[in-house]
Amino acid sequence: MMHVVKSEIRLASQLQRAALDSGVADAAIRVALQQTLQANQKQFKSIQSTVVAVFDREVQVDFIPLNGLINLNHAPVDLLTDALKYAAGLPQEQAAAIAQGIELERKKPNTKGEAAKLHAVEDLMRIAGIDYDIYARVIGIFTTDLEDTQRVNPLAAPLAVLNVLAQGKEGLAQQVLQNRLERGDTTDTTQLSGNHVQIASTDFIAARATVSSGDNTAVVRVWRLSLSGDSYGLPWRVLGKVAPFQTNGQPPP
Protein backbone atom coordinates (compact mmCIF):
# COMPACT_ATOMS: atom_id res chain seq x y z
CA MET A 1 0.00 0.00 0.00
CA MET A 2 2.83 2.39 0.85
CA HIS A 3 4.51 1.60 -2.48
CA VAL A 4 1.27 2.37 -4.38
CA VAL A 5 0.73 5.62 -2.50
CA LYS A 6 4.31 6.75 -3.12
CA SER A 7 3.98 5.95 -6.84
CA GLU A 8 0.75 7.95 -7.09
CA ILE A 9 2.31 10.89 -5.26
CA ARG A 10 5.30 10.81 -7.60
CA LEU A 11 3.02 10.63 -10.66
CA ALA A 12 0.90 13.52 -9.39
CA SER A 13 4.04 15.57 -8.80
CA GLN A 14 5.25 14.89 -12.34
CA LEU A 15 1.90 15.86 -13.83
CA GLN A 16 1.80 19.04 -11.77
CA ARG A 17 5.30 20.00 -12.88
CA ALA A 18 4.49 19.23 -16.53
CA ALA A 19 1.37 21.41 -16.35
CA LEU A 20 3.36 24.25 -14.77
CA ASP A 21 6.16 23.96 -17.34
CA SER A 22 3.62 23.97 -20.17
CA GLY A 23 2.12 27.19 -18.83
CA VAL A 24 5.58 28.74 -18.56
CA ALA A 25 6.30 27.70 -22.17
CA ASP A 26 3.09 29.31 -23.43
CA ALA A 27 3.89 32.50 -21.54
CA ALA A 28 7.42 32.53 -22.97
CA ILE A 29 6.08 32.23 -26.52
CA ARG A 30 3.76 35.19 -25.96
CA VAL A 31 6.55 37.32 -24.48
CA ALA A 32 8.95 36.44 -27.30
CA LEU A 33 6.29 37.22 -29.91
CA GLN A 34 5.59 40.55 -28.27
CA GLN A 35 9.28 41.46 -28.27
CA THR A 36 9.66 40.40 -31.90
CA LEU A 37 6.68 42.41 -33.12
CA GLN A 38 7.77 45.44 -31.12
CA ALA A 39 11.02 45.22 -33.09
CA ASN A 40 8.81 45.28 -36.22
CA GLN A 41 9.94 41.85 -37.40
CA LYS A 42 7.18 39.89 -39.11
CA GLN A 43 9.22 37.93 -41.65
CA PHE A 44 11.71 35.13 -40.98
CA LYS A 45 14.17 33.57 -43.42
CA SER A 46 16.08 31.33 -41.04
CA ILE A 47 15.68 29.91 -37.55
CA GLN A 48 16.15 32.56 -34.86
CA SER A 49 16.41 31.96 -31.13
CA THR A 50 15.94 34.15 -28.11
CA VAL A 51 15.85 33.65 -24.34
CA VAL A 52 13.10 35.21 -22.27
CA ALA A 53 12.53 35.23 -18.52
CA VAL A 54 9.21 33.99 -17.15
CA PHE A 55 8.68 33.70 -13.39
CA ASP A 56 12.46 33.84 -12.87
CA ARG A 57 13.00 30.97 -15.33
CA GLU A 58 14.96 31.38 -18.54
CA VAL A 59 13.20 29.84 -21.53
CA GLN A 60 14.62 29.40 -25.02
CA VAL A 61 12.16 30.27 -27.78
CA ASP A 62 12.98 29.37 -31.40
CA PHE A 63 11.20 30.98 -34.35
CA ILE A 64 11.18 28.49 -37.22
CA PRO A 65 9.94 29.51 -40.70
CA LEU A 66 7.35 27.00 -41.89
CA ASN A 67 8.64 27.22 -45.46
CA GLY A 68 11.36 24.81 -44.31
CA LEU A 69 8.69 22.11 -44.60
CA ILE A 70 7.16 20.62 -47.75
CA ASN A 71 3.84 22.20 -48.72
CA LEU A 72 1.31 19.40 -49.22
CA ASN A 73 -1.01 21.60 -51.27
CA HIS A 74 1.45 23.21 -53.67
CA ALA A 75 4.66 21.13 -53.79
CA PRO A 76 5.32 19.65 -57.27
CA VAL A 77 4.57 15.95 -57.69
CA ASP A 78 8.26 15.12 -58.13
CA LEU A 79 9.05 16.76 -54.76
CA LEU A 80 6.24 14.76 -53.12
CA THR A 81 7.70 11.65 -54.73
CA ASP A 82 11.17 12.42 -53.34
CA ALA A 83 9.65 13.03 -49.90
CA LEU A 84 7.93 9.65 -49.86
CA LYS A 85 11.00 7.93 -51.29
CA TYR A 86 13.66 9.38 -49.01
CA ALA A 87 11.68 10.13 -45.84
CA ALA A 88 9.38 7.11 -45.83
CA GLY A 89 11.81 4.76 -47.57
CA LEU A 90 9.35 3.74 -50.30
CA PRO A 91 10.39 2.36 -53.70
CA GLN A 92 10.32 4.89 -56.55
CA GLU A 93 7.24 3.41 -58.21
CA GLN A 94 5.21 3.28 -55.00
CA ALA A 95 6.28 6.79 -53.98
CA ALA A 96 5.30 8.17 -57.40
CA ALA A 97 1.89 6.48 -57.26
CA ILE A 98 1.12 7.92 -53.82
CA ALA A 99 2.35 11.37 -54.90
CA GLN A 100 -0.11 11.24 -57.81
CA GLY A 101 -2.81 10.26 -55.32
CA ILE A 102 -2.03 13.36 -53.26
CA GLU A 103 -2.18 15.49 -56.41
CA LEU A 104 -5.63 14.11 -57.28
CA GLU A 105 -6.93 14.53 -53.73
CA ARG A 106 -5.82 18.14 -53.34
CA LYS A 107 -7.32 19.11 -56.71
CA LYS A 108 -10.74 17.57 -56.08
CA PRO A 109 -13.39 20.31 -56.42
CA ASN A 110 -15.29 21.39 -53.34
CA THR A 111 -18.90 22.62 -53.27
CA LYS A 112 -17.75 25.91 -54.79
CA GLY A 113 -15.95 24.18 -57.63
CA GLU A 114 -12.55 25.15 -56.23
CA ALA A 115 -9.66 22.84 -55.36
CA ALA A 116 -10.51 21.37 -51.96
CA LYS A 117 -6.87 21.02 -50.85
CA LEU A 118 -5.67 19.17 -47.76
CA HIS A 119 -6.47 20.95 -44.51
CA ALA A 120 -4.13 19.04 -42.19
CA VAL A 121 -1.22 16.65 -42.53
CA GLU A 122 -3.53 14.03 -41.03
CA ASP A 123 -5.49 14.14 -44.31
CA LEU A 124 -2.72 11.99 -45.78
CA MET A 125 -4.46 9.03 -44.17
CA ARG A 126 -7.20 9.47 -46.79
CA ILE A 127 -4.75 8.80 -49.62
CA ALA A 128 -4.75 5.30 -51.10
CA GLY A 129 -1.48 3.51 -50.31
CA ILE A 130 -0.69 5.42 -47.12
CA ASP A 131 -0.99 3.38 -43.93
CA TYR A 132 -0.16 4.59 -40.44
CA ASP A 133 3.43 3.37 -40.67
CA ILE A 134 4.11 5.53 -43.73
CA TYR A 135 2.20 8.45 -42.22
CA ALA A 136 4.25 8.30 -39.01
CA ARG A 137 7.49 8.53 -41.02
CA VAL A 138 6.48 11.66 -42.94
CA ILE A 139 4.28 13.61 -40.51
CA GLY A 140 7.19 15.85 -39.49
CA ILE A 141 8.20 16.97 -43.00
CA PHE A 142 4.89 18.28 -44.38
CA THR A 143 2.72 21.32 -43.72
CA THR A 144 -0.66 22.58 -44.94
CA ASP A 145 -0.31 26.03 -43.36
CA LEU A 146 1.51 27.69 -46.26
CA GLU A 147 -0.40 29.31 -49.09
CA ASP A 148 1.36 29.30 -52.48
CA THR A 149 4.85 28.12 -51.56
CA GLN A 150 6.06 25.34 -53.87
CA ARG A 151 9.72 25.06 -52.90
CA VAL A 152 11.54 24.53 -49.61
CA ASN A 153 13.72 26.94 -47.66
CA PRO A 154 16.80 24.90 -46.59
CA LEU A 155 17.75 27.50 -43.96
CA ALA A 156 14.69 26.44 -41.96
CA ALA A 157 14.36 22.79 -42.94
CA PRO A 158 14.69 20.01 -40.35
CA LEU A 159 17.20 17.25 -41.00
CA ALA A 160 14.58 14.91 -42.51
CA VAL A 161 13.64 17.53 -45.11
CA LEU A 162 17.29 18.29 -45.85
CA ASN A 163 17.73 14.58 -46.52
CA VAL A 164 14.90 14.78 -49.07
CA LEU A 165 16.51 17.82 -50.72
CA ALA A 166 19.83 15.93 -50.74
CA GLN A 167 18.01 13.02 -52.43
CA GLY A 168 18.88 10.57 -49.70
CA LYS A 169 22.52 11.59 -49.24
CA GLU A 170 22.51 11.63 -45.44
CA GLY A 171 26.10 12.86 -45.19
CA LEU A 172 25.30 15.91 -47.32
CA ALA A 173 22.17 16.65 -45.27
CA GLN A 174 24.17 16.46 -42.04
CA GLN A 175 26.86 18.70 -43.53
CA VAL A 176 24.32 21.36 -44.53
CA LEU A 177 22.73 21.22 -41.08
CA GLN A 178 26.10 21.60 -39.34
CA ASN A 179 27.14 24.46 -41.64
CA ARG A 180 23.82 26.15 -40.96
CA LEU A 181 24.46 26.05 -37.22
CA GLU A 182 27.87 27.65 -37.78
CA ARG A 183 27.23 30.06 -40.67
CA GLY A 184 23.52 30.86 -40.51
CA ASP A 185 22.18 32.68 -43.57
CA THR A 186 25.46 32.29 -45.49
CA THR A 187 25.21 28.49 -45.57
CA ASP A 188 26.07 26.95 -48.93
CA THR A 189 23.03 25.03 -50.18
CA THR A 190 24.04 24.70 -53.83
CA GLN A 191 24.58 20.93 -53.57
CA LEU A 192 20.93 20.35 -52.70
CA SER A 193 18.26 19.68 -55.33
CA GLY A 194 18.06 23.11 -56.96
CA ASN A 195 14.62 22.58 -58.49
CA HIS A 196 13.08 22.35 -55.03
CA VAL A 197 15.11 24.93 -53.10
CA GLN A 198 14.21 28.56 -52.56
CA ILE A 199 15.62 30.74 -49.78
CA ALA A 200 12.84 33.15 -48.92
CA SER A 201 11.28 34.91 -45.95
CA THR A 202 7.82 34.08 -44.65
CA ASP A 203 5.42 35.26 -41.98
CA PHE A 204 4.25 31.68 -41.31
CA ILE A 205 6.34 30.36 -38.43
CA ALA A 206 6.49 27.81 -35.64
CA ALA A 207 7.35 29.20 -32.20
CA ARG A 208 9.00 26.52 -30.07
CA ALA A 209 9.62 27.04 -26.35
CA THR A 210 11.90 24.69 -24.40
CA VAL A 211 11.52 24.75 -20.61
CA SER A 212 14.26 22.95 -18.68
CA SER A 213 12.98 20.90 -15.75
CA GLY A 214 16.31 20.77 -13.94
CA ASP A 215 16.63 16.96 -14.11
CA ASN A 216 18.14 16.74 -17.59
CA THR A 217 14.67 16.81 -19.15
CA ALA A 218 12.67 19.60 -20.71
CA VAL A 219 9.10 20.32 -21.74
CA VAL A 220 8.69 21.55 -25.32
CA ARG A 221 5.69 23.51 -26.58
CA VAL A 222 5.14 24.47 -30.25
CA TRP A 223 2.69 27.00 -31.71
CA ARG A 224 2.14 27.42 -35.46
CA LEU A 225 1.46 31.04 -36.29
CA SER A 226 0.80 33.59 -39.00
CA LEU A 227 2.21 37.05 -38.35
CA SER A 228 0.43 38.61 -41.32
CA GLY A 229 -2.89 39.26 -39.62
CA ASP A 230 -4.45 39.68 -36.23
CA SER A 231 -6.99 37.47 -34.45
CA TYR A 232 -9.25 38.32 -31.52
CA GLY A 233 -7.25 41.48 -30.85
CA LEU A 234 -3.85 39.77 -30.94
CA PRO A 235 -1.32 40.87 -33.58
CA TRP A 236 -0.80 37.25 -34.68
CA ARG A 237 -3.01 34.35 -35.69
CA VAL A 238 -2.60 30.91 -34.11
CA LEU A 239 -2.88 28.18 -36.74
CA GLY A 240 -2.45 25.31 -34.33
CA LYS A 241 -0.66 24.10 -31.22
CA VAL A 242 1.27 20.90 -30.57
CA ALA A 243 0.57 19.21 -27.27
CA PRO A 244 3.50 19.65 -24.81
CA PHE A 245 6.03 16.84 -24.94
CA GLN A 246 9.14 15.95 -22.95
CA THR A 247 12.70 15.69 -24.28
CA ASN A 248 16.10 14.93 -22.80
CA GLY A 249 16.79 18.61 -22.19
CA GLN A 250 17.61 19.71 -25.73
CA PRO A 251 15.15 21.04 -28.32
CA PRO A 252 14.63 18.67 -31.27
CA PRO A 253 16.60 19.46 -34.49
Side-chain angles (χ1 to χ4, degrees):
M1 179 65 71
M2 290 179 62
H3 176 72
V4 171
V5 171
K6 287 181 179 179
S7 296
E8 290 183 350
I9 291 174
R10 184 164 53 251
L11 177 59
S13 176
Q14 291 172 347
L15 291 174
Q16 181 185 37
R17 186 178 65 182
L20 176 62
D21 288 348
S22 178
V24 169
D26 284 347
I29 289 174
R30 290 187 177 94
V31 171
L33 283 170
Q34 182 184 47
Q35 293 175 351
T36 298
L37 294 177
Q38 284 177 347
N40 201 31
Q41 182 174 6
K42 293 187 177 183
Q43 296 273 334
F44 288 84
K45 181 171 66 175
S46 58
I47 300 173
Q48 297 185 26
S49 301
T50 185
V51 176
V52 298
V54 177
F55 299 124
D56 297 325
R57 299 180 67 177
E58 291 191 343
V59 182
Q60 178 175 322
V61 179
D62 305 309
F63 292 120
I64 308 166
L66 288 178
N67 61 3
L69 300 176
I70 298 170
N71 189 347
L72 265 179
N73 285 314
H74 296 283
V77 172
D78 54 346
L79 176 53
L80 295 176
T81 301
D82 283 352
L84 292 161
K85 179 178 179 180
Y86 298 116
L90 302 182
Q92 173 72 25
E93 185 175 339
Q94 183 182 2
I98 293 176
Q100 286 293 342
I102 295 173
E103 171 77 349
L104 291 174
E105 184 67 25
R106 68 190 184 182
K107 285 189 173 182
K108 280 183 179 179
N110 57 20
T111 56
K112 297 180 179 179
E114 302 169 342
K117 300 183 180 181
L118 303 180
H119 298 285
V121 179
E122 288 81 358
D123 287 344
L124 283 172
M125 293 293 290
R126 306 201 318 252
I127 308 299
I130 293 186
D131 56 20
Y132 188 80
D133 182 53
I134 295 173
Y135 167 75
R137 280 181 260 166
V138 300
I139 185 175
I141 69 171
F142 288 122
T143 182
T144 59
D145 293 324
L146 300 172
E147 295 177 348
D148 298 325
T149 306
Q150 296 184 8
R151 299 183 180 183
V152 179
N153 177 7
L155 298 182
L159 180 60
V161 175
L162 289 176
N163 191 50
V164 171
L165 297 177
Q167 297 191 316
K169 299 174 184 175
E170 296 182 2
L172 174 58
Q174 289 279 3
Q175 179 184 347
V176 172
L177 179 63
Q178 184 60 40
N179 289 343
R180 194 175 73 190
L181 294 174
E182 297 172 356
R183 302 181 59 182
D185 292 359
T186 62
T187 301
D188 181 10
T189 61
T190 56
Q191 295 185 67
L192 300 175
S193 180
N195 292 335
H196 303 316
V197 169
Q198 182 179 29
I199 297 176
S201 299
T202 180
D203 49 32
F204 288 88
I205 65 169
R208 181 179 65 197
T210 304
V211 182
S212 176
S213 300
D215 57 356
N216 202 34
T217 63
V219 168
V220 179
R221 180 71 152 152
V222 180
W223 293 14
R224 303 192 324 276
L225 303 149
S226 169
L227 303 181
S228 61
D230 56 14
S231 177
Y232 300 104
L234 293 172
W236 57 76
R237 181 162 53 95
V238 179
L239 305 173
K241 297 180 181 180
V242 178
F245 58 93
Q246 197 171 61
T247 72
N248 61 357
Q250 296 294 327

